[in-house]
Amino acid sequence: MEIRLVGNSALLIEVDDPLAWFTALDAERAAGRLAVTDIVPGVRTVLLDGVPAPESLAASLRSRPAPPFVRFYQDNLAIPVVFDGPDLAAVADMTGSSVEALVRTLTETTLTVAFGGFAPGFAYLSGLPWTVPRRESPRPRVPAGSVALAAEFAGIYPTASPGGWQIVGHTGTVLFDIDRDPPALLTPGRTVQLVRA
């Protein structure tokens, strides 16, 4: 573990399992045992913001063993997907499988929201059994609801935007709604099951 002070009241923790640290620290915050404003997981980091005594907390964290990952939710969130993406066949080739086998793997794999991404409501879903390269040339516009793969992650575009991920399907599920609490449907720690629509 490496811990860096960020500004006057934040800590950036580099750890092997950011989601496990996020779930443990967020549970402490919810129980009133950790006074921080925000906890943000990343690929290899967890940011603690609004820390009243950062040096003291850093010393405490250094003395702790790595926590186990604890699921927030007892059920998987089912997201219906039509597997008709323009990159579906190419991704099947990349993974050495047929289109049917690829779809079966995607629907049988439980994915976990590892962290949020480049747009409100976008979540990086971990748990894929293979990695998929990004497209050589990004698309100028990826439609909202596009289900896509890149590196070791799956993701669903909450709004139309440029993007370089491999599109394998689409969903009508609303991922971000400012009138919902929380606005993002996919929050860190949530488990997701893609199902055929």
Side-chain angles (χ1 to χ4, degrees):
M1 171 193 290
E2 292 204 18
I3 303 177
R4 288 197 220 28
L5 182 63
V6 180
N8 296 321
S9 62
L11 294 174
L12 185 67
I13 308 168
E14 291 186 29
V15 290
D16 290 333
D17 191 349
L19 193 53
W21 281 95
F22 168 78
T23 57
L25 294 170
D26 198 50
E28 286 186 38
R29 179 178 60 171
R33 296 190 305 269
L34 181 63
V36 298
T37 304
D38 206 4
I39 306 173
V40 183
V43 177
R44 305 275 181 266
T45 61
V46 179
L47 176 69
L48 302 173
D49 195 15
V51 181
E55 291 85 0
S56 174
L57 180 57
S60 169
L61 292 172
R62 284 188 187 97
S63 67
R64 299 182 187 192
F69 173 68
V70 178
R71 288 181 62 162
F72 281 167
Y73 307 94
Q74 297 309 309
D75 61 329
N76 296 335
L77 175 65
I79 296 184
V81 176
V82 176
F83 290 96
D84 62 351
D87 303 316
L88 186 62
V91 171
D93 286 343
M94 290 174 203
T95 60
S97 61
S98 66
V99 167
E100 180 58 32
L102 174 69
V103 171
R104 188 169 53 252
T105 298
L106 290 172
T107 56
E108 291 176 354
T109 301
T110 298
L111 302 170
T112 302
V113 178
F115 55 95
F118 64 88
F122 187 90
Y124 287 78
L125 304 171
S126 64
L128 295 177
W130 13 249
T131 61
V132 175
R134 293 173 61 92
R135 290 174 48 82
E136 288 182 17
S137 177
R139 290 180 170 93
R141 184 179 184 279
V142 174
S146 293
V147 177
L149 312 177
E152 68 269 36
F153 299 108
I156 305 171
Y157 285 76
T159 57
S161 68
W165 289 38
Q166 307 278 357
I167 301 172
V168 296
H170 73 275
T171 181
T173 302
V174 176
L175 299 177
F176 189 81
D177 181 349
I178 196 67
D179 295 321
R180 185 169 53 203
D181 184 24
L185 181 64
L186 303 179
T187 55
R190 167 57 96 175
T191 50
V192 174
Q193 202 79 41
L194 304 180
V195 297
R196 289 181 195 251

